C-alpha cells in the first residue's frame, strides 16, 4: 500500500517535471534514449543554482580549496592506473528466452517491481509456502502470468514437486526467490539454482563481467591503439593534475581541489527517473591531508575522533587532525550544506559502510542518503581513500606525486578525503522534497487543490515573479516593468501579465518561485500618497501578502537567496 | 619577422597559462592527449565567469530567452536528421611515406607552418621562381630539408625540369604550392597534381571523407544497433526539444532557447593551443522568429535592413522585423557583449560570408573574428538558418514542429537565427588580449619587467587580493581576515600574506586580479583616527593606490565587476 502510494507520488512528480519544464526525456521526439534526461528552462536554472552554491561554499568561501575543470576524455592510461579498466564492471546475464540483458545482481530487486513478481511475493507470507493461494493465482484469478513464465512453467509438475517437498520439513520454498525458482524452471536438477529473468521469467545465462565505461576512439581511424573512455567519474582528473595545481596555486597540504562535471556510466538498467542515468553530473572534492605519522611527528600527537568532545570541535579545521577526524569533519560539513539548501536533517540518513562493504583501499566511507519515495538512496559518498590514487598514478606514470611539507620537513604522498556528490540525484531529491499538494483559495475565495514546489529560495529556479495587476493599464505595466528592471540585475525574475492574478500566483507556486511582487493601483498612489511606490510581496508558502516599499525589495530579498 | 614575433608571443602566453594555472595539457603525466586541455584554478574561474555573463545577458536579463541543458549523448537519429551522419566530414589523406594522417584541405596551411615550408615560400617572392636561391637553399645553406622530402626529392631532375620550363613562359611555378609539387615528386607525369605531406614531403593518398563525430555504444554489447555519437554541437538538442520548451515555458515566437555545454569533434589535426581542440564548450542560442510572409500578413510590411536608419534602430526588437534585421540585430548584440567583457572593438572583425561560402540552408552567416597572434580567427558564427533544422526533425521524427501564432492566426515552422560561440576560443582571446608586458617598480623603486593580465574586472578569475602588510603582526592579520570575510560573500577574494607586499602585488598582476586591498598600520589607527578603518586600494593597471574606507569597498567594487 505504502509502495503503491510511493509509485503514484513519483508518477505525479515525473509528470510535473515534464509539464513545468524541469526535466524532459532526452531526444523525446525520437522515442527517447534510455538513461538520458534533459533539463528544461526551470530545471536548467535549478541545476545551475545547486552547482553554484556547491562551488561557492567549497571554493570561493574557503582559502584551502581550489577549482579545476578537466576534460571528459583523458589519456586511457588514467583508467588503467585507477583500476577502472580492470575492475569497473557489473555482472550481466542474457535471458535465454526473451534475449534481454539483465544486471545479474539486480534480478530480485527488478522482480519485486513487476506486478507478477509482487504477486509471487505475496504467496510466501511470513516465509510460509501456501499451496491453495498459489493454485488460485496460477489458475488465473485476476493475475496474469508473465508471458515467458507461462511458456516455460509447467505448473502441475511444479505443484507435484512442491507437494513432495511438503512431506520433507525444511525443503519447501521459504522466500519469494525460492518459490520463483520452483515456478520458473522445468528441470528439477537445477531447481533453486537458476536465476529467473525479471522480465519474462526465462532462464538467465551465467553472469559475465562487463565494463561500465563508454568507449570511443580518438583520431580518425578506429584501432586498439587509440581507444579512449568517457570518464566514469570526475575524481581521477584531480589526482592526475595534483602536481600541476600544487605548483601553480600556492596551496599547502591540507588543501582540496574541487571539480564539477559530466561523467558517464553505461548502466545495464538505468532506473528511478534521473536517479540512475547513463550521463550524469558530479561534484567532487579531493581534500589532501597529512598522513597520520607526519602529524604525529609534527604535533607530537594526532587528534583522534575519540579525543574530541562532540561536534562543536569539528567546525574549525586543525593541522594536527588525524584522517578520521578530517573524515568526520567533511561528513558534517556536507550534511550542513544539504541543510543549507533546504533538505531537512530528518530527510537525510548517514550510513557508515561496514568493514566488509569497503573498497579495498578505503579506510572508511560514509554515504549520505536521502529518503526518496522509491527508497532511501545515496546522494553522496565521503570516502577516506588513503594515498591509494596518488600512489597508483605515481607508479603508473613514473612521475612523483610527493609533496614536501616545509613545516614538517617531510616528503610524502598526501592522503585524501573524498566527498563525492551526484548533481542529478540531488536535483531529484530537491524536487521530491519540494513537491507539496495543499489547498489554496481561487480568485473567488474557494479552496482548490494546488501544487507547490517548496524550493529553498537559494535553489529556486526563479526568485521572484513580477505582476502588473492588469495588463491593459499602461501605467501599471510601465511601473511593473520598472520593478522588473530594478530586480533583474540581482536575481532571476519572471514577468507575467497574462490572466487573473490568482492564476499567475498558482503558476509560480508550481514553478517554486518563493516571492511574488504585484503592482496595483495603490502602487501608483491612487489610494493616497502613503501607499505610493509600495507593492504587495507574496510569500509562496504562507500565501501571506504584505505591503513593501519598492526601494526595500532588494535589501529584503537578497539576504534570503544568498 | 612579424610571424616569428607572433609565435614567440604565443609561446610566452602558453607558458604563462601553465605557470599560473590557467590551462594545462590534459593527462600531462601520461604524456598528454592531443587536442584536450584542462583548466586550472584560475582558468576554471575565468571560464565560469564568461559562461555566467553570457547566460545572464541572454537568459536572465531578457524575457524572450529561456535556458536548456540537454545531454551530450542523444538518440542517433538526431544526427541523421541534422545531416551530421552523412555530411559532417573532413577530407583526409595518409602519407605513403611517413604514414601520418593529414587533413587534405589543410595541407598548404600546415606546410606554411613548417620551417622548410616557409623556406620554400620565400623562393617564390612575388610569384617569381628564382633558380639561384632555390639552388642555394637546396644545397644546404643553413636550411635542413625535411627528412622525407630529402628521400624522394631528386633535385637535379627537378632543376632540369624547371630550367626547361623557364624556356616556356607561363609554365614556371608561380606559387609555393606549385614549387613544392615540383620538389616533392619524382614523376613528371603527376607534377603539380600530387599533394605533398606537410610533415615529410611524401606523397599523400587521394582524400577520403571521414566523419568528425566521436562514436560510442550505449548498452553493454557493442553492436550496430546501439551506436551513438558525442554531440558535435549543442544546437541540435535545442531543435529536438523545441516543442517541449514551447509548451512548458509560456514563450511566444519570437523567442530564443540558450544552451551552454560540451561538444566533441574528432579533429585530425587539433592546433593553435586551445583554439581547435577535440573537446570544447559551446554557448549557443537558437532564436526563433516569424517567417517574413507571416510578418507581412500581420504588419502589412516587413521591416528590412535597408528601411532602417542605422544601428540605433536595432536595439529594441520589433515583431515586424524580417529575418535580415533580426540577423543584423544579433550580430550587433553579440559584438556589444564581447566589448562588455573587455575585447576592444578594434580587436574584432565582422566577416559576412560570401554566397558561395554559405551552407546550403543558410541565408546569411556572419563570423565574428578575433585578431589572435596566430591569425584572425572565428569566435562566433551568427547564421540565419531559415526553417531548415526544425523541418528536418519534423520530417524525420514525424512530430509536428509547427507553432500556432495567435496574433497572426497562422501555423508555421519558425525560422531561426543562431548565434553560436566557442567558449574555449573566447577564453583564449581574453587571455591573448589581457597579456601585457610592462615595467613596474620593485620594493626598492627600481623598474622591473612585469607581466600583467589586464582582464576586464567582470571576467577576472579573482576580483580582489587582500593583504595584511606584515604576516607576523596579529592585529594586522586579524583585520585583514575581517576584510576578507566582509568581501568574500560578494566577490572572489585571494588572501595572501606571504612575502614582500610588492611581490604579492606582482603575483596578482600575473593572475589578472584587478584590485588589491592592503591592511596596514594606518588601518589600525596608529597614525591617528582619521585613517582608522581605511585601506589602500590598488588598481592593477595604473598601479595607483588610494585610501578607501573599509565600508566603502563593496559599494565601490561591486558595480565594476557586474
Amino acid at each position: 500500500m505504502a509502495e503503491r502510494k510511493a509509485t503514484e507520488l513519483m508518477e505525479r512528480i515525473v509528470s510535473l517535471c515534464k509539464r513545468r519544464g524541469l526535466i524532459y526525456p532526452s531526444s523525446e521526439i525520437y522515442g527517447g534514449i534510455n538513461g538520458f534526461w534533459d533539463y528544461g528552462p526551470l530545471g536548467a536554472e535549478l541545476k545551475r543554482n545547486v552547482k553554484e552554491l556547491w562551488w561557492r561554499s567549497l571554493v570561493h568561501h574557503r582559502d584551502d580549496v581550489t577549482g579545476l575543470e578537466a576534460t571528459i576524455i583523458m589519456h586511457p592510461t588514467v583508467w588503467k592506473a585507477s583500476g577502472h579498466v580492470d575492475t569497473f564492471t557489473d555482472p550481466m546475464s542474457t535471458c535465454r528466452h526473451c534475449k534481454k540483458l539483465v544486471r545479474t545482481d539486480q534480478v530480485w530487486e527488478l522482480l519485486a517491481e513487476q506486478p507478477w513478481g509482487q504477486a509471487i511475493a505475496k504467496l510466501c507470507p511470513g516465509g510460509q509456502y501456501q499451496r491453495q493461494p498459489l493454485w488460485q493465482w496460477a489458475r488465473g484469478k485476476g493475475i496474469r502470468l508473465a508471458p515467458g513464465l507461462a511458456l516455460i512453467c509447467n505448473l502441475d509438475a511444479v505443484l507435484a514437486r512442491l507437494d513432495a517437498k511438503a512431506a520433507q520439513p525444511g525443503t519447501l520454498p521459504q522466500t519469494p526467490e525460492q518459490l520463483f525458482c520452483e515456478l520458473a524452471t522445468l528441470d528439477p536438477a537445477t531447481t533453486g539454482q537458476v536465476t529467473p529473468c525479471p522480465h519474462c521469467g526465462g532462464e538467465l545465462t551465467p553472469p559475465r563481467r562487463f565494463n561500465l565505461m563508454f568507449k570511443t576512439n580518438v583520431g580518425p581511424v578506429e584501432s586498439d591503439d587509440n581507444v579512449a573512455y568517457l570518464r566514469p567519474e570526475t575524481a581521477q582528473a584531480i589526482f592526475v593534475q595534483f602536481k600541476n595545481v600544487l605548483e601553480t596555486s600556492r596551496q599547502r597540504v591540507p588543501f582540496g581541489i574541487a571539480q564539477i562535471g559530466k561523467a558517464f556510466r553505461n548502466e545495464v538498467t538505468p532506473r528511478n527517473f534521473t536517479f540512475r542515468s547513463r550521463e550524469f553530473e558530479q561534484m567532487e572534492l579531493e581534500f589532501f591531508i597529512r598522513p597520520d605519522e607526519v602529524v604525529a611527528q609534527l604535533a607530537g600527537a594526532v587528534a583522534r575522533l575519540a579525543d574530541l568532545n562532540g561536534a562543536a570541535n569539528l567546525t574549525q579545521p586543525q593541522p594536527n587532525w588525524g584522517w578520521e577526524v578530517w573524515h568526520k569533519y567533511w561528513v558534517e560539513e556536507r550534511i550542513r550544506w544539504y541543510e543549507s539548501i533546504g533538505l531537512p536533517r530528518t530527510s537525510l540518513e548517514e550510513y557508515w559502510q561496514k568493514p566488509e562493504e569497503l573498497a579495498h583501499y578505503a579506510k572508511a566511507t560514509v554515504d549520505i542518503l536521502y529518503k526518496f519515495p522509491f527508497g532511501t538512496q545515496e546522494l553522496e559518498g565521503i570516502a577516506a581513500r588513503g594515498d591509494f590514487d596518488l600512489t597508483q598514478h605515481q607508479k603508473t606514470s613514473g612521475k612523483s606525486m610527493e609533496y614536501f611539507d616545509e613545516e614538517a620537513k617531510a616528503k610524502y604522498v598526501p592522503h585524501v578525503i573524498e566527498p563525492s556528490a551526484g548533481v542529478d540525484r540531488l536535483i531529484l531529491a530537491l524536487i521530491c522534497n519540494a513537491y507539496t499538494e495543499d489547498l489554496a483559495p481561487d480568485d473567488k475565495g474557494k479552496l482548490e487543490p494546488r501544487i507547490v514546489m517548496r524550493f529553498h529560495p537559494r535553489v529556486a529556479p526563479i526568485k521572484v515573479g513580477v505582476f502588473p495587476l492588469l495588463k491593459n493599464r499602461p501605467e501599471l505595466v510601465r511601473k511593473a516593468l520598472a520593478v522588473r528592471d530594478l530586480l533583474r540585475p540581482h536575481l532571476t525574475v519572471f514577468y507575467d501579465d497574462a490572466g487573473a492574478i490568482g492564476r499567475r500566483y498558482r503558476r509560480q507556486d508550481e514553478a517554486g518561485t518563493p516571492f511574488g511582487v504585484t503592482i496595483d493601483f495603490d502602487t501608483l498612489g491612487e489610494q493616497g500618497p502613503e501607499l505610493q511606490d509600495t507593492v504587495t510581496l507574496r510569500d509562496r508558502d504562507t500565501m501571506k501578502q504584505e505591503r513593501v516599499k519598492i526601494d526595500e525589495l532588494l535589501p529584503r530579498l537578497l539576504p534570503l537567496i544568498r
Side-chain angles (χ1 to χ4, degrees), chain A:
Chain A
M1 196 57 198
E3 209 160 301
R4 207 175 73 202
K5 265 197 178 157
T7 309
E8 280 172 13
L9 174 60
M10 271 315 290
E11 277 165 15
R12 288 202 300 280
I13 288 174
V14 171
S15 146
L16 177 96
C17 284
K18 171 84 190 287
R19 189 171 78 245
R20 291 308 317 229
L22 282 160
I23 300 170
Y24 313 126
S26 166
S27 319
E28 197 181 13
I29 61 169
Y30 294 109
I33 172 167
N34 194 7
F36 296 87
W37 300 91
D38 290 353
Y39 291 85
L42 288 186
E45 296 295 336
L46 180 60
K47 211 175 166 198
R48 285 172 57 79
N49 291 341
V50 165
K51 291 192 283 183
E52 179 66 24
L53 287 163
W54 186 87
W55 191 269
R56 234 192 267 165
S57 79
L58 288 179
V59 183
H60 290 173
H61 292 182
R62 301 180 66 111
D63 287 326
D64 61 355
V65 175
T66 194
L68 179 72
E69 197 194 303
T71 52
I72 289 169
I73 294 179
M74 294 192 277
H75 195 289
T77 308
V78 171
W79 307 110
K80 192 77 196 159
S82 68
H84 284 80
V85 170
D86 295 329
T87 61
F88 194 60
T89 58
D90 273 343
M92 190 184 66
S93 299
T94 315
C95 174
R96 297 194 204 275
H97 179 68
C98 71
K99 310 295 178 205
K100 284 206 177 123
L101 292 165
V102 178
R103 240 180 84 175
T104 322
D105 57 347
Q106 286 182 342
V107 163
W108 300 111
E109 205 178 320
L110 290 168
L111 196 54
E113 289 171 11
Q114 301 274 14
W116 45 282
Q118 288 168 16
I120 290 174
K122 283 194 199 107
L123 299 175
C124 276
Q128 290 286 323
Y129 154 63
Q130 291 168 300
R131 194 180 199 283
Q132 195 54 28
L134 174 64
W135 186 264
Q136 284 169 358
W137 165 75
R139 285 302 174 213
K141 293 218 168 163
I143 298 161
R144 268 186 43 221
L145 281 171
L149 188 62
L151 279 173
I152 61 164
C153 172
N154 181 338
L155 198 68
D156 288 331
V158 171
L159 290 176
R161 205 159 61 231
L162 288 171
D163 284 344
K165 289 191 174 184
Q168 294 175 280
T171 59
L172 267 178
Q174 300 290 313
T175 64
E177 285 84 345
Q178 289 170 4
L179 178 56
F180 196 97
C181 288
E182 293 281 354
L183 286 166
T185 179
L186 283 174
D187 178 3
T190 58
T191 298
Q193 290 164 25
V194 174
T195 312
C197 169
H199 301 292
C200 77
E203 187 185 335
L204 293 180
T205 59
R208 286 162 296 145
R209 309 299 308 181
F210 109 93
N211 199 295
L212 287 174
M213 289 194 290
F214 281 94
K215 250 207 262 188
T216 190
N217 295 85
V218 174
V221 179
E222 272 180 43
S223 89
D224 288 347
D225 295 343
N226 63 8
V227 165
Y229 305 96
L230 306 193
R231 65 182 174 199
E233 59 170 44
T234 56
Q236 292 304 320
I238 297 179
F239 296 121
V240 168
Q241 293 288 17
F242 169 69
K243 265 301 180 76
N244 269 336
V245 173
L246 186 66
E247 280 159 16
T248 61
S249 70
R250 306 184 56 75
Q251 289 287 355
R252 292 178 190 171
V253 174
F255 81 100
I257 305 177
Q259 184 173 223
I260 300 179
K262 287 274 178 107
F264 296 79
R265 292 182 190 177
N266 211 343
E267 299 282 351
V268 183
T269 39
R271 47 210 294 260
N272 285 331
F273 196 22
T274 57
F275 183 82
R276 187 176 302 281
S277 51
R278 285 169 165 155
E279 176 174 339
F280 53 99
E281 200 152 8
Q282 291 188 307
M283 308 187 286
E284 295 197 302
L285 168 68
E286 304 299 328
F287 196 81
F288 300 98
I289 57 172
R290 290 168 167 155
D292 277 10
E293 54 275 23
V294 175
V295 177
Q297 177 193 326
L298 200 65
V302 178
R304 303 205 176 285
L305 213 45
D307 310 333
L308 300 168
N309 293 321
N313 291 314
L314 279 179
T315 51
Q316 286 300 324
Q318 301 296 331
N320 70 335
W321 278 357
W323 71 263
E324 50 162 358
V325 185
W326 275 114
H327 184 234
K328 180 76 177 151
Y329 163 79
W330 278 112
V331 173
E332 297 196 356
E333 272 293 302
R334 298 298 304 140
I335 288 178
R336 265 196 291 278
W337 185 76
Y338 286 112
E339 290 186 90
S340 78
I341 60 169
L343 293 183
R345 187 67 186 82
T346 49
S347 72
L348 301 170
E349 263 178 35
E350 201 178 301
Y351 177 76
W352 289 71
Q353 288 190 12
K354 300 189 185 73
E356 66 272 22
E357 293 172 311
L358 291 174
H360 66 94
Y361 48 76
K363 296 174 163 186
T365 298
V366 170
D367 294 334
I368 300 176
L369 314 171
Y370 174 78
K371 294 170 186 163
F372 288 98
F374 49 81
T376 300
Q377 300 261 14
E378 184 186 346
L379 289 183
E380 170 158 350
I382 299 159
R385 297 173 68 95
D387 61 1
F388 174 76
D389 304 273
L390 287 181
T391 303
Q392 281 297 106
H393 288 297
Q394 175 168 285
K395 255 192 261 171
T396 313
S397 69
K399 302 282 193 306
S400 164
M401 291 289 164
E402 285 177 322
Y403 168 78
F404 181 73
D405 191 318
E406 288 187 28
E407 200 186 343
K409 307 272 174 256
K411 214 176 189 179
Y412 53 82
V413 174
H415 286 221
V416 74
I417 309 292
E418 177 190 271
S420 163
V423 181
D424 307 82
R425 38 185 70 180
L426 173 52
I427 297 296
L428 187 56
L430 290 170
I431 289 173
C432 292
N433 183 67
Y435 186 90
T436 327
E437 294 167 1
D438 66 6
L439 295 171
D442 67 8
D443 285 329
K444 295 180 186 84
K446 201 183 128 207
L447 282 183
E448 292 211 320
R450 72 162 184 167
I451 294 176
V452 202
M453 295 301 284
R454 296 186 193 273
F455 290 123
H456 191 289
R458 284 199 185 96
V459 299
I462 303 164
K463 306 303 183 199
V464 58
V466 172
F467 317 111
L469 187 63
L470 299 170
K471 86 188 270 194
N472 53 5
R473 296 292 287 263
E475 62 279 27
L476 283 177
V477 169
R478 213 174 306 124
K479 197 76 187 173
L481 290 173
V483 170
R484 177 197 70 179
D485 294 341
L486 170 79
L487 301 179
R488 194 177 255 174
H490 306 278
L491 30 72
T492 47
V493 176
F494 192 86
Y495 178 84
D496 191 358
D497 59 12
I501 189 73
R503 283 186 50 204
R504 284 183 265 167
Y505 288 153
R506 210 66 72 250
R507 281 199 289 264
Q508 291 309 309
D509 290 343
E510 269 200 5
T513 307
F515 308 107
V517 168
T518 305
I519 289 79
D520 56 21
F521 295 106
D522 291 356
T523 315
L524 303 176
E526 296 194 2
Q527 308 303 316
E530 69 284 354
L531 288 182
Q532 187 160 11
D533 286 324
T534 65
V535 291
T536 63
L537 178 64
R538 175 182 182 270
D539 181 278
R540 171 197 65 200
D541 298 339
T542 62
M543 292 184 276
K544 282 199 184 124
Q545 303 190 15
E546 60 177 309
R547 213 69 214 172
V548 174
K549 283 193 184 147
I550 290 174
D551 289 348
E552 280 166 16
L553 281 173
L554 277 175
R556 178 79 175 266
L557 297 178
L558 285 181
L560 300 174
I561 62 162
R562 284 220 174 108

